[in-house]
Amino acid sequence: MSLFRTKNLDHLMASSRKPGGLKKVLGPFDLILMGIGAVIGTGIFVLTGTGAVTAGPALTLSFIIAGVCCGLAALCYAEFASTVPVAGSIYTYSYVTMGELVAWIIGWDLLLEYGLATSAVAVGWSGYFQSLMTSFGLSLPESLRGAPGAVPGQHTWFNLPAFCIMMVLTGMLSLGVRESARVNNIMVIIKLGVVLLFIGVGARHVHPSNWHPFMPNGAGGTLSAAALMFFAFIGFDSVTSAAEEVKRPERDLPIGLIGTLATCTIMYIIVTAIMTGIVPYAKFLGIDHPVSLALQYANETWFAAFVDVGAILGMTTVILVMAYGQTRILFAMSRDGLLPHKLSEIHPRFGTPFFATWIVGLIFGLLSAVVPLGVLGELVNMGTLAAFCLVSVAVIVLRKKRPDLHRAFRCPGVPVVPVLAIVFCAVLMAFLSRTTWAAFLAWLALGLVVYFGYARQRSLLNLPDHQAQHQEEKECPN
């Protein structure tokens, strides 16, 4: 039997419309706010300082380059998400075009990427939260402030705030996507309000002389910063994980994807222009709170607490959306028989994959509590770039295999646009460290062992037709 077994696309789309599955409750506004919730967080509140040192005022150009790279991939995502509106994102897209083995590899990869992303951001959230606590004269016992060895000179053993925020958000996700989306929308609106207030306050203190020289480290510094700032956009693709819960996916998913990227790119460019216009770029060296530094430099210290709140809310929404995306990929893989069936069971009251949500929350909540941030962040970026490459390839393959398929949104310039997306992503992957590559390949090897030792034999594609149909009917009854 061929390794590259594929789902029947028409059957897959029909099964996604059966009653009894995930509730269709999301609209375009929910999707854009969900995407912004996943994207605007660590990138704008932390990484912009490092980017400013690398590129100088040309950091704005770095964001444009990174935004173009993500935009090319987003056009490919939009075509697939509107054509195949089912849970699972790039895992499902790969399944219907390139087969089960490729889909398993990317699904296995995304499980690690999304999980470690939530854990890493939870650790960052904990740092901001503890900083806010100290402004009120409060502090945790030393042993509960971080993972073992995370804080030099301190005997830390367990990152209690990181674990707690993971449990709170896991509880929210398990109770329902509509409820989670409402909370996310409120936090994103507050976060955007904080960013807009920074723009309004900071714009009054810009000194154009700080923008000269514009490109102090040359084109190399600008491109290096673009490779770094690319990761500030990670998360926009999680919007496609909600495909099966969107009211009108053929229209709403492209709006959600493109709207997310456009909004975030504009916000990044404006904020970094103001930051580097207030503070000489060299002064951001070693700073992990660049937005707050800009306000302090402008003698607007009264606003620092608002920025801390904005950072906390920003990271909260990142955790929420990334955890959501991971549970839906897990749900899709389980529904295909590649993982235990328990992980795709829908709660009769809440309409969510309840068990899978809590399994994900507990595992990566514990990781956030006991593993330092630097270790957690090593593998997050590789998975995203690999996913972008695969979805771009999948668009080209499906155009060739199914030219007759109705596409509510068509990626323009195929195959040129997908090929450009692949090239951009491949170049950025080449800049990742050897340690990251080694860890990624080790995780991939483990995934292949699980696939050939467990998943392949239990896959619905490996069952007789009547058994597979019975299993699908049991999961999505008419």
Side-chain angles (χ1 to χ4, degrees):
M1 184 182 294
S2 172
L3 290 176
F4 297 96
R5 301 167 299 163
T6 58
K7 289 183 177 182
N8 182 286
L9 179 58
D10 297 310
H11 177 70
L12 176 68
M13 295 173 67
S15 66
S16 73
R17 293 190 289 267
K18 290 182 180 179
L22 298 171
K23 295 180 179 179
K24 296 183 180 295
V25 295
L26 301 177
F29 185 68
D30 294 314
L31 293 175
I32 290 175
L33 290 183
M34 181 182 291
I36 293 173
V39 174
I40 294 184
T42 305
I44 200 167
F45 292 111
V46 179
L47 291 180
T48 44
T50 303
V53 173
T54 305
L59 180 61
T60 54
L61 182 58
S62 300
F63 270 117
I64 293 173
I65 295 170
V68 169
C69 176
C70 293
L72 293 170
L75 292 172
C76 299
Y77 266 104
E79 174 167 320
F80 249 116
S82 61
T83 306
V84 191
V86 294
S89 184
I90 180 58
Y91 160 75
T92 301
Y93 309 157
S94 300
Y95 210 147
V96 300
T97 55
M98 292 178 284
E100 184 179 86
L101 178 60
V102 175
W104 168 267
I105 290 172
I106 197 60
W108 181 256
D109 173 51
L110 288 178
L111 288 178
L112 181 69
E113 177 213 338
Y114 278 31
L116 291 182
T118 58
S119 298
V121 177
V123 175
W125 185 98
S126 174
Y128 270 91
F129 180 75
Q130 292 184 61
S131 174
L132 189 61
M133 286 179 62
T134 58
S135 66
F136 294 99
L138 303 173
S139 64
L140 291 170
E142 185 176 286
S143 60
L144 301 178
R145 295 177 188 171
V151 183
Q154 293 188 17
H155 300 288
T156 54
W157 294 101
F158 192 86
N159 195 327
L160 182 62
F163 181 77
C164 288
I165 189 60
M166 287 289 289
M167 293 303 96
V168 169
L169 297 181
T170 298
M172 286 173 48
L173 286 171
S174 68
L175 294 179
V177 65
R178 175 72 266 176
E179 293 73 15
S180 300
R182 286 172 180 161
V183 174
N184 177 74
N185 292 354
I186 293 171
M187 288 190 292
V188 169
I189 290 171
I190 295 173
K191 173 173 64 175
L192 289 177
V194 170
V195 174
L196 292 173
L197 280 173
F198 167 78
I199 292 172
V201 172
R204 299 179 299 176
H205 300 279
V206 169
H207 298 285
S209 60
N210 288 330
W211 290 332
H212 302 285
F214 180 71
M215 199 179 291
N217 297 319
T222 303
L223 290 173
S224 295
L228 174 65
M229 291 303 106
F230 167 83
F231 304 122
F233 290 92
I234 286 178
F236 81 86
D237 56 310
S238 61
V239 169
T240 62
S241 299
E244 205 163 321
E245 292 156 279
V246 177
K247 297 174 185 176
R248 290 182 288 180
E250 67 283 350
R251 186 201 70 166
D252 296 347
L253 282 167
I255 293 175
L257 282 165
I258 297 170
T260 293
L261 268 183
T263 302
C264 293
T265 302
I266 292 170
M267 297 283 279
Y268 280 144
I269 291 170
I270 295 174
V271 168
T272 52
I274 292 175
M275 279 175 43
T276 54
I278 297 174
V279 183
Y281 72 92
K283 292 187 179 294
F284 287 110
L285 182 64
I287 298 297
D288 59 3
H289 54 287
V291 178
S292 296
L293 176 67
L295 291 171
Q296 293 166 5
Y297 203 84
N299 294 318
E300 298 283 5
T301 54
W302 61 272
F303 192 59
F306 288 100
V307 172
D308 286 340
V309 171
I312 289 171
L313 291 177
M315 293 184 182
T316 300
T317 58
V318 172
I319 300 169
L320 183 66
V321 177
M322 296 298 282
Y324 169 86
Q326 186 190 33
T327 60
R328 270 42 182 186
I329 292 171
L330 195 67
F331 169 84
M333 295 177 73
S334 170
R335 188 169 60 180
D336 293 333
L338 300 177
L339 292 172
H341 172 64
K342 184 74 174 174
L343 296 172
S344 58
E345 287 184 355
I346 302 295
H347 194 281
R349 177 182 174 186
F350 304 127
T352 62
F354 193 88
F355 181 77
T357 301
W358 277 104
I359 287 293
V360 165
L362 286 169
I363 290 175
F364 290 100
L366 287 171
L367 281 177
S368 71
V370 300
V371 180
L373 179 60
V375 177
L376 288 170
E378 290 181 354
L379 279 173
V380 174
N381 305 325
M382 178 70 79
T384 302
L385 290 165
F388 286 4
C389 286
L390 274 178
V391 78
S392 301
V393 171
V395 165
I396 299 173
V397 172
L398 194 60
R399 286 283 187 98
K400 187 74 173 178
K401 291 175 61 176
R402 291 293 303 273
D404 60 307
L405 191 67
H406 172 69
R407 293 166 171 84
F409 177 89
R410 296 178 68 89
C411 174
V414 174
V416 175
V417 168
V419 168
L420 286 175
I422 295 167
V423 170
F424 268 82
C425 293
V427 169
L428 294 177
M429 290 173 73
F431 280 92
L432 296 176
S433 69
R434 292 182 180 179
T435 301
T436 299
W437 274 96
F440 173 74
L441 293 175
W443 176 254
L444 178 61
L446 176 61
L448 291 175
V449 170
V450 175
Y451 175 74
F452 288 107
Y454 173 88
R456 182 173 168 80
Q457 287 73 27
R458 291 165 176 79
S459 166
L460 292 187
L461 290 183
N462 207 33
L463 296 176
D465 290 343
H466 68 280
Q467 291 186 27
Q469 182 178 359
H470 174 70
Q471 180 69 14
E472 290 190 351
E473 289 175 349
K474 190 167 74 171
E475 294 170 1
C476 300
N478 287 311

